[in-house]
Amino acid sequence: MQEKRPLSPREIKAIENTMRARSLPEEVVCLVGDDLRFGLSKEETDQYLNNNYTFEQMKIFSQALRNDLPAEVMELITSEKLSAQKMAVVVDFADKGIPVDTIRAALLEDGSAHALRVMLKKVWAELEKVKVKPETEGDYEYANTVLAEVREVVSGIAEQEKRYQRLNEK
């Protein structure tokens, strides 16, 4: 595989000027410029520019690229059309080493970003407590067992939220 060549300051400036000519917001131009100076390629920054993301989603996607998260995580972020809040949770826990399949299973729960964070935090705590490396088949089964327990807790939280909403409506 050919190593990517960092762009020169002149090339970066030309890209920024092109973006300004396309009337992109200055904050987006600055984000792309910073990423290019960091060493990301133009193709990598195009991944978040061409996905109709909000600026918050672009910043989170940029952070995922800078953290060099696996392609599976990047695909999960783009294919699921996640909110910025859920994207941040996914990137945070993927960066900590939570298996992608566990994150994907947690995303199947139709809850808030907070519920997702609670669920993944519980999985992370259990993995840390026993110092399990989530890369083997047994660890995957263990993580799914913990995830099932967390789902019970999250469903309780969701039920409480619904009760509070009904009370507030009255």
Side-chain angles (χ1 to χ4, degrees):
M1 184 174 154
Q2 183 178 348
E3 184 149 341
K4 62 182 176 185
R5 174 187 67 80
L7 296 175
S8 70
R10 178 178 286 175
E11 291 170 313
I12 293 171
K13 195 63 148 170
I15 291 169
E16 290 174 333
N17 289 336
T18 302
M19 293 173 66
R20 285 185 184 99
R22 290 179 27 207
S23 299
L24 288 173
E26 189 60 28
E27 59 190 2
V28 173
V29 173
C30 289
L31 177 65
V32 171
D34 287 345
D35 282 344
L36 294 173
R37 285 181 199 80
F38 180 78
L40 296 180
S41 69
K42 175 76 172 104
E43 292 76 23
E44 288 171 316
T45 60
D46 285 344
Q47 289 177 27
Y48 60 77
L49 283 174
N50 297 334
N51 265 321
N52 294 323
Y53 286 144
T54 65
F55 180 66
E56 289 301 314
Q57 289 172 310
M58 287 182 191
K59 286 192 320 189
I60 295 163
F61 199 96
S62 165
Q63 189 60 48
L65 288 169
R66 287 177 177 226
N67 290 353
D68 199 29
L69 292 180
E72 275 185 298
V73 174
M74 303 310 285
E75 289 171 16
L76 181 65
I77 290 171
T78 56
S79 67
E80 293 295 325
K81 302 294 183 201
L82 302 175
S83 68
Q85 294 84 6
K86 283 187 177 182
M87 279 178 82
V89 172
V90 168
V91 168
D92 182 31
F93 283 96
D95 200 33
K96 290 180 179 180
I98 297 290
V100 176
D101 289 334
T102 303
I103 295 171
R104 186 176 287 116
L107 284 170
L108 292 176
E109 299 293 318
D110 192 26
S112 65
H114 174 70
L116 178 64
R117 179 171 292 285
V118 168
M119 189 181 306
L120 292 175
K121 195 173 190 180
K122 173 91 171 163
V123 171
W124 173 248
E126 289 297 317
L127 290 174
E128 279 295 296
K129 186 166 43 175
V130 293
K131 296 292 181 195
V132 173
K133 297 212 183 270
E135 297 171 0
T136 65
E137 186 67 31
D139 295 338
Y140 177 71
E141 290 173 16
Y142 176 74
N144 281 332
T145 302
V146 172
L147 185 59
E149 293 173 8
V150 171
R151 282 186 178 142
E152 289 178 34
V153 171
V154 170
S155 68
I157 292 171
E159 189 59 37
Q160 287 290 32
E161 286 178 359
K162 288 177 187 175
R163 287 183 189 145
Y164 288 131
Q165 287 175 353
R166 285 193 296 255
L167 284 173
N168 286 336
E169 289 173 1
K170 290 181 181 180

